[in-house]
């Protein structure tokens, strides 16, 4: 016996198909013959058994012998088997097994299994022809209907009629039609045509004709030489929308409270129209449970009310096809009532009917009538049950099912519970339903008996059967319905009884059995099953083919699979008879089956767990008696994609930045794609998000960012998922629905509904209030409540028009305020308190200003709040003075100086006065003190402090409150020659009435002057006698700019500058130094130097040890503050030190070299993980010190970690590149006005960076730059300015280098040596001094010869004899022998001080005693100029004196 088989793949090339279910799920039995254990089941759903190929082949030899026995067994066990429609396997080559048997729980004996299955397995299985176009075109096939119109085909009369019928087959089928069971000759009717290559009928009415003439029942026939297929019987009907019959409707008169039904009775349309009620003005009728429209279109009033006659009522019908609306003549309603006025306030009255005089009555049913009814519904349709009741008050409707519950998944209530709809009705929905109508007067119910019938529906629809010659098969047509449908078989459109006899065909009820089919057996069979409610028609053809094996998939496929996965290699093939299939690996001779391999019936080879050794070339070979075909699949095994660092659940606050990690391992030969999902939907990466290969960063997290985030790492072959949940803690939502209840005179209850807490529990509620009298629009805190409450009693004040709002608070912050509540005003009352903070203070010496804090709205308690102010002198027992004030201050005038007063301020409103206020003591205004401290004595305590003692002043001279005694002192001069000092006045305060005090923080070795005053609230009193004192010598400050240099391995040079504050006469310097090597420390050595020595050189004892130097200056008093430095480390040594995030600035001295202090600070800024320098590094490379040469004056600053190398041109720190995207090794090479910047990074090409730098004045500048644009130059820098700098990514500012600090060099550089001791400098200064002296002598001689300066215009009045020097209108300065040289002044210490030009009037204009004569000439200039020079000369002369300039340079 030969078979036809086609086997298909589940997946396309390059994909891994989903593995089928394990074959252990199938039942296995042993046959009666001594056969091996045979798999009876293909791999399908558990509990459903499909005959396998092995059993089919094994049983084919004895199929005919057991046929009769099998048929008997089929009848015997039919009651134990549940028929089930067989699921059709999807894909190429999947078999249909025909009848599928779901095995009963109680299994029959094994021999029954074998015999029963023997019958069915002897019948060939049907297959579909593969969709391969080459096979489809080659194989013949009977017709199959593919498209047809619905059975009840309603058409629009305005359009052409279209009746569809399409079919496929090989050769292509031809079509013809019958109408009303008679042949329909299309050629005789010019309006009717058939579409090309289709059976679709087109009836054209463009040239006239009535569509109603073509109504009837149509059936399509598709035919080729292998058979004929039939369409359904299509009933063609033309849509109808008849007009409403004209009628005159009398007004409907009804008593108020009575029921009413307005009938619609729409004209019968096809299909039925949609009914709705409106007024004649096209306003919809408002419907509720009292007034509603029934399913039949009538309008029902459960009880009529007076307002129902405010409009008329018109029934409208909308027809579907014509899209027209027809309106019935409107009903006019007249309501008779005992209460003629339609009071709208009674509509929501709880006893509305009795208020209108309407009698209440028990419910009664308006539809359906009576207490019971019945209804029939077809299976699969919707069941609509309706109950409409009348009554006063309007009844409520409830639905119940007798003996069970309503089906919750299918039942829904409509029309205000008056209708119950159950969708998709089935047999179990039959039974008794009842509706219960009830009001307060009683209840009534109506029972509806529901019967469910069924038009025929398929249990097993016949399918096309394709067999090989000699193969057996069957067609099954099984349907169910109520009543039970009948089955009629036809072949090629003719009843089977009238067809020619076929010995290979046998009809057994709903099954046709074919045995030993031949080519002549090809035909199309129709199964028609029908009952009184409808019919089903199905076509199924039988086709017989003979084809050699053929592979259906592309040849030499290449498949990549993932390690350890279950994989299936597909080999779809086609052939008739059924070919056998075998698999081989790498050309080996053994067939692959068993163990890790499993071959499926459709030809697929499953590898249960892929290993590396499974990689190779697999060959599948299909063979039948007509030949063989083979194909190859090359399998390549790849490593799986795995997320090894998954994102974690996080709880973050709103506005912060969060990062979700997702690090992946994958096969390097596969392209990896990492994507993110949010709440299982693709995530849109906006401006606030940054996606990298291993993370997702969200900046400024918002509430909408909350949710689940899934990282999807995928390649072409597989993917891995990892999910995390992001919880965003946000501020709570505002509370809502504020309500005021329990309204009392002094309290109210406030209730609110809390808003969403946004994942952070609400901790508090803040209740605020606003009043509209004193501060409208301003909200004040009233009270605070725990977050667990939402209702609170608020205590209120009288005469306040309150409005409240609530703010919710959690750990993140406060919500927006709620919407305000309604206002609530409390009644008034007299004030219960008086204003606070009452004070009496004088603003002048003869007044007293009384002030107080005004009372707010919650303490006013009534309108017209005012204040009664009372005052009198203390302890005089005089009568109280009083005045009424509306503001918050009152000034009492003509008071004595600083006299105590008793003060009272009492509140009053229109309801009365507040209680008597407390008495407050105030004082009238103060005057300046009249006396100064006397007997001021000074005792020097040490070089920086003195002790003062004085006699206190009498209290009556203070004329106010004594605040303090104050000492004014100033540094008159230093005891050191030629040392300029500031004479700025300083002060020391001694609060209270005390006779002594201490003045500290004085400069040693200086002359001071001091004065004392008394201070009250008005100001200072007169000054005491000026006292002079001198501070003794002290210890000096630390030497400046201590530098340690090592020009070579043998020598160390030390240099320093004099202390900034000598505090006495320097007698020398003390240097202490000690050698150390690691933890070993040598003997300390001491060197003393003269005060003029600022250099020292020493020879190293060995090239390995380092030295620690401590230097201090000395006076006669002792040694001062010391400064410590260490020698630089040798080139082969690196000192591990800690690294702060930024390096200190490199500071250059006046000579341009970097100080040793700064070098040490720079060394201290490096990280602890210092890498020793390779011995091959050039000897100029050192580990911790940065130096600059005089010629270049450039210095570089490096901040990155870890450092390994510092070069002579800059500190450049080498680092290994990090794994993540970052910026490192930032190097700065500064000059005086520019700096070159370089850095390293691991970003992709084209990345944008930003260089940000900030100067000492906190001015920030940024420079955008491309990655490939290095180095970049920062211009417009300032010489000697300190800058901080960092480099960051323009796309993500969070990726940044560490901040570094650098300093530009000064505009010029010098050697660090003290130039004041150089011979050339001394000679140059002497020459300059000589030239200046000669110029001064020349100027003096020239001035002595009568140089005069006009100072005024001549007056009209002639000069008197008392003005001999003004005869010519000029003033001669040559006679002033004691006047210093013009433009200079000799100071007390002998230095020359620069002076402004005498010709400038600006200087004189600022003098307190200078004035002009009537003629405009200036007088008093000597006095003014002298005062100015005495107060300012010492401060201004030092900077401009040439000698002092020389000393400053030195």
């Amino acid at each position: 016996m030969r078979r036809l088989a086609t086997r298909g793949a589940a997946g396309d090339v390059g994909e891994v198909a989903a593995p089928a279910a394990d074959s252990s799920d199938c039942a296995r039995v042993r046959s009666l013959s001594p056969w091996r254990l045979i798999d009876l089941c293909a791999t399908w759903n558990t509990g459903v058994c499909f005959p396998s190929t092995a059993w089919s082949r094994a049983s084919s030899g004895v199929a005919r012998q057991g046929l009769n026995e099998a048929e008997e067994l089929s009848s015997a066990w039919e009651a134990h088997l549940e028929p089930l429609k067989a699921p059709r396997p999807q894909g190429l080559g999947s078999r249909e097994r025909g009848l599928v048997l779901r095995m009963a729980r109680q299994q029959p004996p094994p021999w029954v299994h074998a015999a029963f299955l023997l019958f069915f397995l002897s019948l060939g299985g049907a297959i579909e022809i593969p969709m391969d176009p080459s096979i489809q075109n080659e194989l013949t096939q009977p017709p199959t209907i593919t498209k047809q119109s619905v059975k009840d085909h309603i058409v629009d009369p305005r359009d052409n009629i279209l009746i569809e019928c399409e079919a496929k087959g090989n050769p292509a089928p031809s079509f013809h039609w019958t109408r009303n069971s008679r042949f329909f000759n299309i050629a005789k009717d010019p309006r009717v045509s058939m579409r090309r290559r289709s059976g679709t009928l087109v009836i054209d009415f463009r040239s006239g004709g009535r569509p109603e003439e073509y109504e009837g029942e149509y059936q399509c026939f598709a035919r080729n030489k292998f058979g004929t297929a039939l369409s359904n019987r299509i009933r063609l009907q033309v849509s109808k929308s008849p007009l409403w019959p004209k009628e005159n409707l009398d007004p409907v008169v009804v008593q108020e409270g009575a029921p009413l039904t307005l009938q619609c009775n729409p004209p019968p349309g096809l299909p039925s129209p949609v009914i709705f009620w409106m007024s004649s003005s096209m306003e919809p009728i408002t419907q509720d449970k009292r007034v509603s429209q029934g399913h039949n279109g009538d309008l029902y009033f459960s009880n009529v009310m007076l307002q129902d006659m405010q409009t008329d009522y018109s029934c409208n019908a909308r027809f579907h096809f014509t899209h027209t609306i027809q309106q019935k003549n409107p009903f006019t309603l007249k309501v008779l009532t005992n209460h003629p006025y339609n009071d709208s306030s009674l509509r929501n009255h709880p006893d509305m009917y009795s208020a209108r005089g309407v009698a209440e009555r028990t419910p009664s049913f308006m539809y359906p009538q009576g207490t019971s009814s019945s209804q029939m519904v077809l299976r699969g349709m919707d069941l609509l049950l309706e109950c409409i009741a009348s009554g006063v008050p309007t009844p409520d409707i409830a639905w119940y099912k007798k003996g069970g519950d309503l089906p919750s998944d299918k039942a829904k209530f409509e029309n205000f519970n008056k209708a119950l709809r159950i969708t998709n009705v089935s047999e179990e929905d039959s039974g008794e339903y009842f509706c219960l109508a009830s009001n307060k007067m009683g209840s009534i119910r109506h029972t509806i008996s529901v019967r469910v019938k069924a038009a025929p529906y398929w249990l097993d629809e016949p399918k096309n059967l394709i067999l090989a010659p000699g193969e057996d098969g069957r067609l099954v047509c099984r349907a169910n319905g109520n009543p039970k449908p009948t089955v009629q078989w036809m072949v090629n459109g003719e009843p089977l009884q009238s067809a020619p006899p076929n010995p290979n065909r046998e009809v057994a009820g709903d099954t046709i059995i074919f045995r030993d089919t031949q080519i002549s057996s090809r035909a199309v069979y129709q199964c028609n099953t029908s009952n009184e409610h409808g019919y089903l028609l199905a076509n199924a053809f039988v086709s017989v083919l003979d084809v050699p094996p053929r592979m259906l998939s592309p040849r030499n496929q290449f498949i990549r699979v993932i390690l350890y996965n279950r994989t299936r290699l597909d080999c779809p093939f086609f052939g008739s008879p059924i070919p056998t299939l075998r698999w081989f690996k790498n050309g080996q001779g053994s067939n692959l089956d068993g163990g890790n391999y499993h071959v499926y019936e459709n030809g697929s080879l499953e590898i249960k767990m892929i290993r590396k050794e499974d990689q190779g070339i697999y060959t599948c070979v299909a063979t039948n008696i007509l030949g063989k075909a083979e194909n190859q699949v090359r399998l390549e095994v790849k490593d799986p994609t795995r997320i090894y660092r998954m994102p974690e659940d996080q709880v973050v606050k709103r506005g912060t930045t969060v990062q979700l990690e997702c690090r992946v391992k994958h096969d390097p030969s596969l392209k990896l794609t990492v994507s993110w999902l949010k709440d299982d939907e693709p995530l849109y990466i906006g401006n606030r998000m940054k996606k990298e290969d291993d993370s997702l960063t969200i900046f400024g997290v918002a509430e909408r960012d909350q949710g689940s985030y899934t990282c999807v790492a995928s390649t072409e072959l597989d993917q891995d998922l990892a999910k995390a949940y992001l919880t965003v803690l946000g501020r709570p939502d505002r509370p809502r629905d504020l309500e005021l209840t329990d309204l009392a005179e002094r309290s109210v209850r406030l209730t609110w509904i809390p808003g969403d807490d946004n994942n952070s529990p609400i901790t508090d509620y803040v209740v605020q209030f606003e009043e509209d009298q004193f501060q409208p629009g301003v909200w004040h805190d009233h009270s605070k409540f725990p977050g667990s409450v939402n209702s609170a009693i608020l205590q209120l004040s009288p005469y306040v028009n309150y409005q409240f709002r609530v703010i919710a608070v959690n750990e993140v912050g406060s919500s927006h305020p709620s919407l305000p509540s309604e206002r609530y005003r409390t009644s008034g009352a007299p004030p219960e308190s008086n204003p606070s903070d009452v004070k009496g203070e004088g603003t002048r010496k003869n007044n007293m200003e009384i002030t107080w804090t005004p009372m707010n709205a919650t303490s006013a308690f009534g309108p017209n709040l005012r204040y009664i102010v009372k005052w009198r002198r203390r302890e005089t027992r005089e009568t109280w003075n009083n005045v009424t004030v509306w503001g918050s201050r009152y000034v009492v005038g003509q008071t004595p100086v600083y006299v105590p007063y008793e003060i009272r301020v009492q509140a009053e409103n229109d309801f009365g006065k507040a209680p008597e206020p407390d008495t407050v003591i105030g004082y009238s205004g103060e005057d300046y003190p009249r006396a100064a401290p006397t007997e001021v004595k000074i005792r020097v305590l040490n070089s920086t402090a003195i002790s003062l003692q004085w006699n206190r002043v009498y209290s009556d001279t203070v004329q106010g409150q004594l605040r303090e005694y104050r000492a004014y002192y100033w540094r008159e001069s230093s005891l050191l020659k030629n040392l300029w000092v500031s004479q700025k006045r300083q002060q020391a305060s001694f609060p209270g009435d005390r006779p002594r005090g201490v003045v500290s923080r004085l400069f040693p070795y200086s002359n001071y002057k001091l004065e004392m005053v008394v201070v009250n609230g008005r100001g200072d009193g007169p000054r005491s006698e000026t006292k002079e004192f001198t501070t003794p010598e002290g210890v000096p400050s630390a030497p400046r700019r201590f530098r340690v240099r090592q020009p070579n391995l043998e020598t160390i040079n030390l240099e320093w500058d004099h202390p900034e504050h000598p505090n006495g006469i320097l007698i020398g310097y003390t240097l202490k130094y000690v050698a150390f090597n690691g933890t070993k420390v040598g003997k300390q050595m001491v060197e003393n130097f003269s005060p003029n020595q600022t250099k020292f050189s020493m020879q190293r004892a060995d090239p390995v040890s380092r030295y620690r130097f401590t230097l201090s200056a000395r006076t006669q008093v002792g040694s001062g503050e010391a400064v410590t430095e260490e020698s630089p480390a040798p080139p082969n040594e690196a000192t591990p030190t800690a690294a702060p995030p930024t390096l200190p600035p490199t500071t250059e001295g006046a000579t341009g070299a970097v100080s040793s202090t700064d070098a040490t600070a720079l060394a201290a800024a490096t990280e602890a993980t210092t890498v020793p320098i390779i011995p091959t590094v050039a000897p100029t490379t050192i580990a911790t010190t940065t130096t600059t040469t005089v010629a270049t004056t450039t210095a570089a600053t490096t901040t990155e970690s870890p450092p390994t190398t510092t070069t002579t041109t800059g500190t450049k720190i080498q680092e290994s590149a990090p794994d993540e995207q970052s910026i490192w090794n930032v190097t700065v090479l500064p000059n005086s006005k520019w700096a070159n910047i370089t850095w390293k990074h691991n970003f992709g090409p084209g990345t944008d960076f930003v260089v940000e730098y900030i100067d000492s004045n906190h001015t920030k500048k940024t420079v955008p730059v491309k990655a490939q644009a290095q180095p970049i130059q920062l211009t417009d820098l300032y010489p000697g300015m300190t800058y901080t700098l960092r480099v960051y990514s323009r796309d993500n500012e969070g990726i940044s280098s560490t901040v570094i600090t650098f300093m530009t060099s000064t505009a010029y550089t010098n050697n660090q040596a003290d130039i004041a001791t150089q011979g050339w400098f001394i000679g140059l200064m002497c020459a300059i001094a000589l030239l200046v002296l000669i110029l001064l002598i020349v100027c003096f001689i020239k001035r002595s010869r009568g140089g005069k300066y006009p100072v005024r215009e001549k007056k009209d009045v002639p000069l008197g004899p008392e003005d001999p020097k003004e005869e010519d209108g000029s003033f001669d300065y040559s006679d002033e022998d004691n006047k210093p040289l013009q433009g200079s002044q000799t100071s007390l210490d002998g230095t020359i001080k620069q002076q402004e030009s005498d010709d400038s009037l600006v200087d004189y204009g600022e003098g307190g005693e200078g004035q002009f004569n009537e003629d405009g000439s200036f007088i008093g200039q000597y006095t003014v100029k002298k005062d100015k020079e005495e107060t300012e000369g010492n401060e201004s002369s030092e900077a401009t004196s040439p000698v002092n300039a020389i000393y400053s340079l030195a």
Side-chain angles (χ1 to χ4, degrees), residues 950 962-966 988-997 1015:
W950 60 88
L962 192 150
R963 301 288 179 90
E964 62 183 30
Y965 287 92
R966 185 178 298 167
S989 298
F990 309 103
D993 189 9
R994 52 195 292 187
R996 61 179 59 85
V1015 182

Side-chain angles (χ1 to χ4, degrees), residues 766-770 779-782 803-807 817:
V766 177
V767 177
Q768 296 181 329
F769 74 93
E770 180 260 351
W779 290 89
H780 308 272
D781 288 347
H782 183 281
Q803 189 178 32
F804 299 98
R805 71 183 187 185
V806 183
I807 299 175

Side-chain angles (χ1 to χ4, degrees), residues 701-724:
V701 173
E703 286 84 352
R704 63 178 179 273
D705 295 324
Q706 177 170 303
S708 63
Y709 288 81
T710 305
C711 175
V712 182
S714 57
T715 63
E716 306 95 300
L717 302 183
D718 68 337
Q719 69 176 18
D720 195 13
L721 308 177
K723 180 179 289 189

Side-chain angles (χ1 to χ4, degrees), residues 987-1253:
Q987 66 183 38
S989 298
F990 309 103
D993 189 9
R994 52 195 292 187
R996 61 179 59 85
V998 175
V999 179
S1000 60
R1001 302 185 69 179
L1002 301 175
F1003 284 97
Y1005 212 50
S1006 301
N1007 294 320
Y1008 277 88
K1009 289 185 178 181
L1010 180 141
E1011 296 173 344
M1012 294 284 295
V1013 296
V1014 178
V1015 182
N1016 65 9
R1018 188 72 183 277
D1020 293 0
R1023 304 189 179 224
S1024 68
E1025 179 185 0
T1026 302
K1027 297 291 184 178
E1028 297 182 357
F1029 64 93
T1030 301
T1031 55
E1033 193 174 9
V1035 296
S1037 61
R1040 293 182 295 169
R1041 300 186 183 92
F1042 185 30
R1043 302 172 294 281
V1044 181
R1045 296 179 177 176
Q1046 182 177 304
N1048 51 55
L1049 296 179
E1050 291 80 19
T1051 306
I1052 297 178
N1053 294 334
L1054 308 180
E1055 296 181 11
W1056 63 90
D1057 292 345
H1058 298 299
E1060 182 179 5
H1061 301 289
N1063 296 334
I1065 300 175
L1066 289 180
I1067 63 173
Y1069 296 92
T1070 300
L1071 175 67
K1072 300 177 182 179
Y1073 59 95
V1074 62
F1076 66 92
N1077 186 2
T1079 58
K1080 296 180 181 180
V1081 180
K1083 181 181 178 182
Q1084 179 172 285
M1085 307 298 291
V1086 179
E1087 296 282 351
N1088 290 314
F1089 308 112
S1090 66
N1092 294 327
Q1093 185 173 351
T1094 58
K1095 291 183 179 181
F1096 176 68
S1097 296
M1098 62 167 290
Q1099 300 295 318
R1100 296 172 61 104
D1102 60 81
V1104 178
S1105 298
R1106 298 179 61 192
Y1107 290 84
R1108 184 176 295 112
F1109 301 95
T1110 303
L1111 179 68
S1112 61
R1114 304 192 312 275
T1115 62
Q1116 294 292 343
V1117 179
S1119 297
E1121 182 183 355
V1123 59
T1124 301
E1125 292 291 343
E1126 292 181 359
S1127 63
N1132 59 350
E1133 179 184 347
T1135 305
T1137 56
T1142 61
L1143 291 180
T1146 58
T1147 305
E1148 294 188 3
T1151 60
V1154 179
S1155 69
S1156 175
T1157 304
D1158 300 329
T1160 304
L1162 183 63
T1166 57
E1167 281 198 6
T1169 57
T1170 304
V1171 182
I1173 296 178
I1174 303 173
T1176 58
V1177 175
T1180 57
T1181 302
I1182 59 175
T1184 59
T1185 303
T1186 301
T1187 63
T1188 60
T1189 63
V1190 176
T1192 60
T1193 70
T1194 59
T1197 306
T1198 308
T1199 62
E1200 303 301 336
S1201 58
T1204 59
T1205 305
T1206 303
T1207 66
T1208 57
T1209 59
T1211 308
K1212 182 176 181 181
I1213 301 171
Q1214 303 293 337
E1215 295 181 291
S1216 59
D1219 295 334
E1220 300 178 353
Q1221 287 186 334
S1222 59
I1223 304 168
W1224 74 98
N1225 276 8
V1226 178
T1227 302
V1228 182
L1229 295 175
N1231 204 317
S1232 60
K1233 294 185 179 181
W1234 51 265
N1236 285 337
I1237 314 296
T1238 60
W1239 63 89
K1240 291 185 178 180
H1241 63 90
N1242 55 5
F1243 286 83
T1247 305
D1248 292 339
F1249 295 94
V1250 177
V1251 177
E1252 176 188 275
Y1253 59 101

Side-chain angles (χ1 to χ4, degrees), residues 123 229 311 366 412 474 516 540 692 730 996 1045 1061 1179 1303 1310 1371 1444:
L123 305 178
T311 183
M366 304 174 69
K412 60 180 180 179
R474 59 187 172 84
D516 193 18
E692 298 176 321
R996 61 179 59 85
R1045 296 179 177 176
H1061 301 289
M1303 183 178 183
N1310 265 336
F1371 191 87
N1444 285 327

Side-chain angles (χ1 to χ4, degrees), residues 775-844:
Q775 292 179 297
V778 179
W779 290 89
H780 308 272
D781 288 347
H782 183 281
S783 50
K784 190 175 183 179
F785 301 98
S788 57
V789 305
N790 68 330
S791 180
I793 295 178
L794 307 180
Q795 300 300 322
L796 308 180
S797 298
Y799 199 70
V800 179
N801 192 17
Y802 282 100
Q803 189 178 32
F804 299 98
R805 71 183 187 185
V806 183
I807 299 175
V809 182
N810 61 11
E811 290 185 359
V812 180
S814 301
S815 71
H816 292 294
S818 67
L819 296 177
S821 69
E822 58 183 347
R823 288 195 176 272
Y824 176 63
R825 179 183 288 277
T826 55
S827 59
E832 295 180 0
S833 62
N834 288 299
S836 60
D837 199 20
V838 178
K839 296 178 182 179
E841 296 176 343
T843 59
R844 297 182 180 181

Side-chain angles (χ1 to χ4, degrees), residues 17 130 536 752 759 792 812 867 964 1214 1353 1400:
L536 292 174
W752 61 90
N759 305 310
V812 180
Y867 304 97
E964 62 183 30
Q1214 303 293 337
E1353 298 290 339
S1400 175

